[in-house]
Amino acid sequence: MVDAHTHLDACGAKTAEDVRAMLDRAEAAGVSRVVTVADDLAAARWAAEAATWDDRVYAAVALHPTRTSDFSDADRAELAELAARPRVVAVGETGLDYYWDYAPRDAQQEAFRWHIELAKRVGKPLMIHDRDAHADVLAALDAEGAPEKVVFHCFSGDLDFARACVERGFVLSFAGPVTFRNSSALREAAAWVPSGQLLVETDAPFLTPHPFRGRPNEPYCVNYTLRELATLRHVELIILANEVTRTAENVFGIGA
């Protein structure tokens, strides 16, 4: 499988040896590749470099919406250079976050539009962070024209929002919250998403799936989310594992 969204640096990895050890643990659990995702410039530099240390690691770079209150031309130029690197397979995570007030909404929206354009310019998927901003995220994508491939990381909507995303051809990636029994609307959406538009992720070290909720997360834990998705979708685990692996390979352009 592929963990479609993780943060190896936030999990504690600093060196090539750290990354290798973390990926060895993941591979022992059947997770053969990961996309490590940046949320600021320092993380973007690290992710792009870490993706050259181990063939099992790919990177995504962007400025997280909560960090966009000060987004300079120099920042944009550096992100554009990083996004063009061959081991960087997506522009993300970018989008809108109305839960926190760390950045004004107008700054978030302007930065989001810039990232949409960047993804189209470099020809790579756009990886969306959407928290309490469903309508505005879709409005921005519709207004700017979405890139060919769009991934809603840690999808948090209900069935109606899932339908709106799927109708636009977007891919929905599910993390630990789909294993929580009180996430009924999210679980309903996950059961419905068509094959080929479904990914699985950890968002490690955050959002650890049941039964380890509240403990540190790592890419190997994606197994627990996949198992819950297989139950919700009434499919055999191996079939779903193969499906989400093919989807990840197609979305991110990574080989088997």
Side-chain angles (χ1 to χ4, degrees):
M1 295 181 297
V2 178
D3 180 354
H5 187 116
T6 190
H7 302 270
L8 296 181
D9 54 339
C11 289
K14 292 181 173 62
T15 66
E17 290 73 21
D18 295 337
V19 168
R20 188 175 305 113
M22 207 167 286
L23 267 294
D24 287 347
R25 287 193 290 275
E27 190 162 20
V31 183
S32 61
R33 287 154 291 171
V34 306
V35 180
T36 189
V37 181
D39 60 3
D40 62 18
L41 272 171
R45 296 181 196 114
W46 187 89
E49 181 67 17
T52 69
W53 295 340
D54 193 302
D55 288 343
R56 298 169 292 183
V57 179
Y58 298 88
V61 300
L63 200 64
H64 193 281
T66 60
R67 301 177 185 271
T68 55
S69 56
D70 182 17
F71 190 20
S72 69
D73 289 343
D75 296 339
R76 296 167 199 246
E78 184 172 6
L79 278 174
E81 186 277 321
L82 291 170
R85 295 187 186 184
R87 298 287 299 180
V88 175
V89 296
V91 173
E93 56 186 286
T94 179
L96 301 173
D97 189 315
Y98 292 169
Y99 180 81
W100 301 107
D101 60 359
Y102 297 136
R105 292 188 181 188
D106 59 347
Q108 292 189 45
Q109 291 164 356
E110 195 278 331
F112 185 29
R113 290 192 294 270
W114 182 85
H115 282 93
I116 293 171
E117 189 278 328
L118 175 62
K120 291 190 286 189
R121 192 191 332 154
V122 298
K124 294 180 180 179
L126 185 73
M127 187 178 284
I128 301 291
H129 172 99
D130 163 29
R131 191 164 187 188
D132 294 352
H134 301 334
D136 281 2
V137 167
L138 286 187
L141 290 167
D142 289 344
E144 299 299 315
E148 180 182 353
K149 296 175 181 177
V150 173
V151 177
F152 271 73
H153 129 73
C154 191
F155 182 78
S156 59
D158 59 12
L159 180 57
D160 287 341
F161 187 60
R163 291 185 189 278
C165 292
V166 165
E167 287 170 0
R168 290 166 169 81
F170 302 158
V171 176
L172 310 185
S173 184
F174 290 86
V178 79
T179 70
F180 305 161
R181 296 298 185 265
N182 61 350
S183 299
S184 56
L186 179 64
R187 289 162 64 83
E188 181 184 26
W192 173 82
V193 176
S195 176
Q197 288 177 263
L198 177 79
L199 289 173
V200 63
E201 64 172 80
T202 56
D203 197 23
F206 316 106
L207 304 178
T208 310
H210 178 80
F212 303 113
R213 185 177 184 180
R215 303 180 194 177
N217 199 4
E218 261 194 38
Y220 73 86
C221 293
V222 79
N223 264 315
Y224 298 98
T225 302
L226 188 81
R227 290 175 185 277
E228 189 67 22
L229 284 169
T231 299
L232 289 171
R233 295 168 68 84
H234 304 290
V235 298
E236 292 183 24
L237 182 62
I238 187 62
I239 292 174
L240 184 60
N242 289 334
E243 287 178 354
V244 297
T245 300
R246 286 193 299 269
T247 300
E249 291 171 349
N250 291 335
V251 168
F252 298 118
I254 58 178

